Structures are given as C-alpha cells and as structure tokens.
Amino acid sequence: MFGLFGKSKKNKIQALIEQDGIEHATQRFAEVLCDMLKTKELAYQFSLEEIEAASQGNEEAISFAIDSGIPSSEYKGAMQRSCPEIDGKDGPQQFLLNISTQLHSDTDLMVEFRTKIANNVMKYFYLGKYASNEPVGIKKYNQLKQLMLNEEISEALILSASGINQTSFLIANDVNTAVSLINYLSTLTGISGVELINAVSEKQNDKQITSIIMDKESLAEYEEVGSDDSWMDVLVKWANENNLAELQDLDSPAYYKQTGFPRNKNQLRSMEYLHLPNSNISQLPPELGNLKKLYCICLDGNSIENYPKEMCGYKNLTRLDLDDNKISNFPREIGNLTSLQILSLKNNSINDFPIEMKKLVNLRKLVLKGQAIHLSSRYSPLSKEGFEVTIHFDDIIKEEPIQTWLDKTDTSNLTMTG
C-alpha cells in the first residue's frame, strides 16, 4: 500500500490538496470514511489495517505506526483478518485505495495523505493514542449504538419505551446497561429517551446528537474550571487512610468495569464506577457526592452505618449495592436518585424507610433479603409511611417480601413510636 511509484501528470487529488491544503483535504476525506465505517469496532479494524500497512512502508509511514498508540501485537495480521464491511468492493479500504493511488507520482505526498486520513479517523473515533481523550458522553453514545446493533436489544428498548417490558433473560443485563446509557445521555443532552432510542435504531441524526453531546460536555468542563477542588484532596486522603486499592479495570461481564479508587484528580472527575466491596470501610465522606458522573456504586461487605445525604445527588446513578453493611437509616434525599434501577440492601438493619423512596420512579429491583425488623422510628418498615413504601414496591421486592418479615418477627412486646 505504501510502495514506490513512478512520476506522472498532476491529477484532481493533487489539485485539491494544492487548493485546500493537505490538512483540510484529508479531514474532508476522513469524514467520508467515518460515515462509511459506522461503528467504533469497524473503525478500529480499519485503523489496524492502515497501521499494519504503514509499518511496512517508508520512514514517515513507519513513524505513523509507531506513534499510533496501538502495539504491534494488535495490528500484526490485521489485513488477513479483514471483513467485507472494511475491504469489500464498495468498502472504506477500496475508497481510500482509489483516491490515494491517484498520488502515486509523488510517493511522499501519498504517504502523508494516507496517514493523515487514517490519523483523522482514529481521532474521530478516539482510538489508539486518542483513546484517553474520549469524552464520557461520546463513549456512552458509542456503547449504546453498539448494543443496539443487536436487534433483540433494540426491540426490547423500543417496547420498554412504549410501556411494555418483555425482556428475555439472556439479554437482560445488556438491556439494563442500555437503559443506564440512555438515562445518562438524556440527562446530559436534554433529548428524551424515546427520541434517543428511535434515532439510534433508525440510524438518524448521529452527527447532530454527537455535536450536542460534545457541546454539553464542553460546557460542563468549562463550568468546572477554576472551581475549588479541595474535596479531591479529602477523598485521596480517605482512600489512603483506608488502604483502598488503586483504580484499575475490572474484567466483569456485569455492570462494574472498574474497581478500586483513584489518586489522580482527572480520574476522580471522570469516575463512573465506585466499586469497593469488602474494603473495611466504616465511614463514607460526604465529598463522595462530588463524583457527579457515577452511575454504579458497590459497597457490599463493609461496616457502613450511615449513607450520606450528599451521595443522593447523582443524576445518572442506576445501581446502588449496599449488601452486608450496618446501615440503619437513609436520608430523605434518597428520593433524588430518580435514575436508580437497582437498590440492594441485603443483610442490613434498616430503621428508616423514608416516604421519599416512592420518588424512585425507575426502580426495577429492590432487594431486602435478610433485613431485620425495627420499630424504633416512625419510618420503620412497620410504620405507616414505611408500609406505604414497601407496598409501593411490592411487585419488585422478589427475594423477601414484607409478609415474610412479619411471619418471622415476634412483635408481641413491641410498640410503635413516632
């Protein structure tokens, strides 16, 4: 692909480069390729093939391969692993080959032209050396588009948006993940969940949605500039005092993709998963409420007694796992977690079920197994308001409903207070 060619007369591509400049010309052709590639996975395969080809070329091409941020172990053999969507008759590789070979009379220009186009594709899809720059919203939008390539998932989301829940057990986790992504994107952009589902399923308005996400995230970053970040120092100190493991990727098929706790401020700002099970934690600092991008929290198996009201302001939180702790009360602000889908409180000692829990309109699973009965508060599970909460969620309390508690509890010597 990057071999030597002879000299010939100037052609249309050369004329375009002279007219627009190579940066502008390669950007225009890269945009065409990005439209053809559709998904991040296809763009990655395309990039691997370009990098492998470049690694066999001249000095400039080899330099591009080295600087790509993708190791040789990933791109070697990529051309043999190609697919029709990449290398078919009307695919992106053939398109790039057709335009770049028009520059065969100037080998150096051809190499620069092709590598700049490949580099722009990588930049657009946040691949290789650009991966760390990917905005959270774009990452989630691409993840949603990839999930909805599965027709079953796409149909389940469309039905769910119409009020019909008929999700197969085999795709339940993926559908829940997609719903979490939709909630996040809807909150970020102001686009309704139904509009997002329809746009992605019909492959419409992609550029407009991407542009809105970029604008909203840029605004959010602008608002953060200059703000007091002393809360991050508090969290780093808390992590060190509790000997929490450093943040690392978690190879899990379920919800949590990271575990541990960061010491880096940029990682703190973009943190999406708070996964610290069995970490010997007894107190949660209120500064954790500043981790605005969280959408899954797992604190199972600790010694936590109080859940801070500051941790009830997460607009995108969809899962909260607090099994096997010592939690006795919830703040009334828990009702603000309106995106919450799963709340697991197994083996705690809850005194207080505030009536505000009825505001959790998206809750699909409430786990209360092993919960002890207490009558020390008017908001206990046996109080008037507590009963309203449990009755309200009766159809989703599957593991141990309120009647099971009553059957196991001797209330003969207890009186209700409040």
Side-chain angles (χ1 to χ4, degrees):
M1 292 183 186
F2 292 90
L4 296 175
F5 297 89
K7 297 279 185 181
S8 67
K9 290 176 64 178
K10 188 182 297 184
N11 57 54
K12 290 182 180 179
I13 301 298
Q14 287 173 311
L16 180 64
I17 291 172
E18 286 188 7
Q19 176 183 319
D20 291 355
I22 192 165
E23 297 295 339
H24 188 219
T26 51
Q27 179 63 46
R28 287 169 64 184
F29 283 116
E31 288 174 0
V32 175
L33 280 168
C34 290
D35 285 340
M36 297 173 71
L37 288 164
K38 303 294 184 186
T39 70
K40 190 170 185 176
E41 286 67 29
L42 288 176
Y44 187 62
Q45 175 61 29
F46 171 86
S47 299
L48 292 181
E49 293 178 31
E50 285 299 296
I51 295 167
E52 183 182 28
S55 71
Q56 301 168 22
N58 64 16
E59 185 176 345
E60 184 177 350
I62 293 171
S63 177
F64 163 72
I66 292 172
D67 294 340
S68 67
I70 296 178
S72 59
S73 59
E74 291 191 36
Y75 65 70
K76 281 185 177 179
M79 289 185 283
Q80 282 69 45
R81 299 192 300 270
S82 193
C83 58
E85 292 87 349
I86 300 293
D87 209 17
K89 181 180 177 182
D90 298 317
Q93 277 289 9
Q94 290 302 310
F95 170 78
L96 183 54
L97 180 63
N98 290 336
I99 59 174
S100 61
T101 51
Q102 294 182 45
L103 300 174
H104 62 79
S105 61
D106 188 338
T107 304
D108 291 340
L109 180 60
M110 183 182 72
V111 170
E112 183 182 9
F113 179 77
R114 188 153 187 166
T115 54
K116 282 184 180 296
I117 288 177
N119 184 68
N120 282 328
V121 170
M122 291 173 60
K123 187 184 294 186
Y124 180 86
F125 284 98
Y126 300 98
L127 302 172
K129 63 183 178 182
Y130 299 109
S132 61
N133 299 330
E134 184 173 21
V136 173
I138 296 296
K139 181 179 178 182
K140 291 182 183 295
Y141 182 49
N142 288 331
Q143 188 180 355
L144 176 62
K145 289 192 291 185
Q146 184 61 29
L147 282 170
M148 289 185 64
L149 288 175
N150 184 317
E151 290 184 4
E152 285 188 78
I153 295 173
S154 185
E155 289 175 4
L157 290 171
I158 293 170
L159 288 172
S160 178
S162 303
I164 303 171
N165 293 309
Q166 294 181 349
T167 304
S168 162
F169 174 78
L170 295 175
I171 61 168
N173 278 345
D174 286 336
V175 170
N176 285 335
T177 299
V179 170
S180 300
L181 297 170
I182 291 166
N183 287 339
Y184 180 95
L185 293 167
S186 182
T187 301
L188 176 67
T189 63
I191 302 171
S192 73
V194 173
E195 289 176 307
L196 279 169
I197 292 169
N198 289 336
V200 175
S201 63
E202 296 172 10
K203 296 181 173 60
Q204 294 179 347
N205 303 317
D206 183 69
K207 286 186 177 180
Q208 293 92 323
I209 293 172
T210 299
S211 177
I212 292 171
I213 292 171
M214 293 294 288
D215 288 344
K216 294 293 185 180
E217 293 223 329
S218 295
L219 179 61
E221 289 173 5
Y222 175 78
E223 290 172 346
E224 284 183 0
V225 172
S227 61
D228 180 15
D229 61 2
S230 59
W231 61 271
M232 288 188 275
D233 296 323
V234 173
L235 290 183
V236 170
K237 182 180 179 182
W238 171 74
N240 290 331
E241 288 176 347
N242 284 273
N243 298 312
L244 302 180
E246 292 273 1
L247 186 70
Q248 58 185 303
D249 290 338
L250 181 63
D251 185 14
S252 169
Y255 299 90
Y256 297 97
K257 306 301 180 185
Q258 289 178 314
T259 189
F261 200 84
R263 303 321 194 255
N264 178 286
K265 291 188 176 182
N266 287 332
Q267 289 181 327
L268 276 169
R269 283 195 182 95
S270 60
M271 198 171 176
E272 298 178 3
Y273 305 93
L274 181 61
H275 186 264
L276 295 169
N278 305 306
S279 297
N280 198 32
I281 297 170
S282 58
Q283 290 186 321
L284 298 173
E287 287 78 6
L288 286 170
N290 289 309
L291 302 177
K292 300 298 185 184
K293 295 185 178 180
L294 289 181
Y295 70 100
C296 288
I297 295 176
C298 177
L299 296 167
D300 293 346
N302 286 290
S303 302
I304 300 165
E305 295 182 6
N306 295 301
Y307 187 84
K309 65 180 181 181
E310 291 81 2
M311 291 180 69
C312 294
Y314 305 119
K315 293 181 179 179
N316 306 302
L317 195 73
T318 60
R319 183 179 183 115
L320 179 56
D321 293 317
L322 296 168
D323 296 345
D324 301 301
N325 277 285
K326 299 178 180 179
I327 297 173
S328 57
N329 298 287
F330 273 109
R332 291 186 174 276
E333 288 80 359
I334 193 173
N336 296 330
L337 298 175
T338 53
S339 294
L340 202 64
Q341 297 175 34
I342 298 174
L343 176 58
S344 190
L345 303 171
K346 187 164 50 177
N347 297 328
N348 279 279
S349 300
I350 308 294
N351 293 329
D352 194 349
F353 279 139
I355 196 66
E356 285 78 4
M357 283 182 68
K358 291 175 68 174
K359 296 179 181 179
L360 305 180
V361 293
N362 287 302
L363 204 64
R364 298 291 179 267
K365 185 176 182 181
L366 176 60
V367 183
L368 300 171
K369 189 174 183 179
Q371 195 64 245
I373 289 293
H374 294 276
L375 297 181
S376 59
S377 161
R378 69 175 291 199
Y379 302 110
S380 72
L382 294 183
S383 71
K384 180 178 181 295
E385 291 191 355
F387 263 127
E388 285 188 34
V389 171
T390 52
I391 291 170
H392 179 75
F393 292 120
D394 184 60
D395 61 332
I396 63 171
I397 302 174
K398 302 296 184 185
E399 298 204 23
E400 195 160 3
I402 188 69
Q403 189 58 49
T404 305
W405 292 353
L406 297 176
D407 292 343
K408 292 181 178 178
T409 305
D410 179 6
T411 61
S412 58
N413 294 318
L414 299 177
T415 58
M416 191 180 302
T417 62

